[in-house]
C-alpha cells in the first residue's frame, strides 16, 4: 500500500522556538495533504488542508500565522509550529491522498510527538 | 457540520469473542467511510473503506457495514485476538471537492488473553 512518512517522529523544544515537521508520500503523488492534531485520549482534529502549489486552507480556530504550511511538491508538505508554547504539545499526524488510487482514500503518516517545555 | 460518534468508548472482551463496534454520523451525504486502527502513540492504519454506494466491505476477520439512511456503520471483528487490542476510529468523508475526514472519538478495545 501507499506509504507516508513523517519526520521527526518526536521532538522536544523550548518555549518560543519554532519546529518544522515534514510529511512525505514515498511511493505516490499527492496534490492534497491534510494535517491533524491529536491530544491525549482524544480523536484527530483537522487543522488544515494543504494543496500543492497553493495556500493551505485552515479550519476554524487554527491560527495560520502560527501553524505555517508549505506544500512545495507533490510528495512533500511541511508544518512549522512557530513560537511554540506548552499548549502546542500534541501528536501531529499528516495524511495524503493518492491521485492514482481509490478516490479519497487517505494514507496516514506515523505521527510526530511534539513536547514544548 | 458533520458529527461522528462512536459507541462504546471502551470495550474489554475475552479472546475469541466476536464483537461489534458502532459508528454513527449526522450527515448522510457522505462520499465514503473509513475504519482505522491506532496503536498507542502511533499513527493510523487503514482497515476498511466503504464507498457511499456500497453496503459492506470485508478483510479477513473484519467486516464493515454502512447504512447511509440511518447514519450508521459497524465494524465486526470475528474471533478476536489480543493483537486486536487498539483504538478503532471511524471517519466520514463528505461529498465535495476537499473531502477531508471527520473522525469519531474512537473505541478503545482490549482483548484479554
Amino acid at each position: 500500500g501507499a506509504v507516508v512518512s513523517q519526520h521527526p517522529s518526536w521532538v522536544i523544544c523550548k518555549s518560543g522556538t519554532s519546529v518544522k515537521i515534514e510529511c512525505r508520500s514515498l511511493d505516490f503523488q499527492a496534490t492534497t495533504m491534510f494535517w491533524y492534531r491529536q491530544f491525549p485520549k482524544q480523536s484527530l482534529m483537522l487543522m488544515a488542508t494543504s494543496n500543492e502549489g497553493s495556500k493551505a486552507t485552515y479550519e476554524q480556530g487554527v491560527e495560520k500565522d502560527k501553524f505555517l504550511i508549505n506544500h512545495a511538491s507533490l510528495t512533500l508538505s511541511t508544518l512549522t509550529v512557530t513560537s511554540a508554547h506548552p499548549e502546542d504539545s500534541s501528536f501531529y499526524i499528516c495524511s495524503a491522498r493518492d491521485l492514482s488510487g481509490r478516490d479519497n482514500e487517505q494514507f496516514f503518516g506515523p505521527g510526530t510527538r511534539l513536547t514544548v517545555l | 457540520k458533520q458529527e461522528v460518534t462512536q459507541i462504546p468508548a471502551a470495550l474489554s472482551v475475552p479472546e475469541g469473542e466476536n464483537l461489534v463496534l458502532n459508528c454513527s454520523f449526522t450527515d448522510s451525504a457522505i462520499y465514503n467511510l473509513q475504519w482505522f486502527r491506532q496503536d498507542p502513540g502511533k499513527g493510523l492504519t487503514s482497515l476498511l473503506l466503504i464507498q457511499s454506494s456500497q453496503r459492506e466491505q470485508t478483510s479477513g476477520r473484519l467486516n464493515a457495514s454502512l447504512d447511509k439512511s440511518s447514519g450508521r456503520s459497524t465494524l465486526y471483528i470475528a474471533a478476536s485476538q489480543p493483537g486486536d487490542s487498539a483504538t478503532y476510529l471511524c471517519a466520514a468523508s463528505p461529498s465535495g471537492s476537499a473531502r477531508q475526514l471527520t473522525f469519531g472519538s474512537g473505541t478503545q478495545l482490549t482483548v484479554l488473553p
Side-chain angles (χ1 to χ4, degrees):
Chain A
V3 179
V4 176
S5 70
Q6 279 185 243
H7 178 80
S9 56
W10 59 271
V11 58
I12 300 173
C13 69
K14 292 182 178 180
S15 185
T17 60
S18 294
V19 175
K20 180 186 283 188
I21 303 170
E22 292 186 349
C23 176
R24 292 182 185 271
S25 56
L26 298 185
D27 51 2
F28 67 98
Q29 293 184 327
T31 55
T32 304
M33 292 183 174
F34 302 91
W35 286 95
Y36 296 84
R37 181 167 51 183
Q38 185 179 34
F39 291 107
K41 302 291 185 181
Q42 296 186 24
S43 190
L44 279 73
M45 297 299 294
L46 179 68
M47 298 176 65
T49 301
S50 170
N51 297 298
E52 186 264 339
S54 64
K55 292 183 178 181
T57 302
Y58 290 81
E59 294 300 299
Q60 191 173 10
V62 178
E63 301 175 56
K64 62 180 181 180
D65 294 330
K66 180 169 184 62
F67 299 99
L68 301 179
I69 292 174
N70 187 311
H71 194 155
S73 75
L74 286 173
T75 59
L76 173 65
S77 176
T78 60
L79 168 67
T80 301
V81 183
T82 62
S83 186
H85 291 285
E87 58 265 29
D88 298 324
S89 298
S90 187
F91 193 53
Y92 292 86
I93 305 178
C94 71
S95 71
R97 202 163 80 195
D98 185 352
L99 284 177
S100 61
R102 281 187 296 180
D103 197 10
N104 201 44
E105 181 168 13
Q106 293 183 30
F107 299 93
F108 284 77
T112 297
R113 173 79 57 195
L114 170 63
T115 302
V116 185
L117 302 177
Chain B
K1 182 181 176 182
Q2 178 74 277
E3 291 183 6
V4 179
T5 305
Q6 290 185 248
I7 296 173
L11 180 64
S12 183
V13 299
E15 182 177 5
E17 270 203 10
N18 302 324
L19 58 99
V20 174
L21 306 180
N22 297 295
C23 172
S24 61
F25 46 94
T26 55
D27 187 351
S28 62
I30 63 171
Y31 188 80
N32 61 38
L33 187 133
Q34 282 185 260
W35 282 92
F36 297 89
R37 167 185 175 139
Q38 185 176 31
D39 292 287
K42 304 292 185 181
L44 275 64
T45 300
S46 179
L47 298 174
L48 290 164
L49 181 150
I50 312 176
Q51 300 289 356
S52 62
S53 59
Q54 298 173 323
R55 291 193 64 85
E56 67 177 341
Q57 282 287 328
T58 299
S59 176
R61 295 183 292 109
L62 306 179
N63 176 278
S65 68
L66 175 64
D67 184 344
K68 282 179 54 179
S69 61
S70 66
R72 291 183 183 179
S73 176
T74 61
L75 179 66
Y76 175 83
I77 302 177
S80 59
Q81 303 171 358
D84 294 331
S85 298
T87 296
Y88 291 81
L89 296 161
C90 70
S93 173
S95 299
S97 59
R99 295 181 182 160
Q100 62 269 29
L101 297 174
T102 301
F103 281 85
S105 52
T107 294
Q108 185 174 356
L109 173 65
T110 303
V111 181
L112 303 170

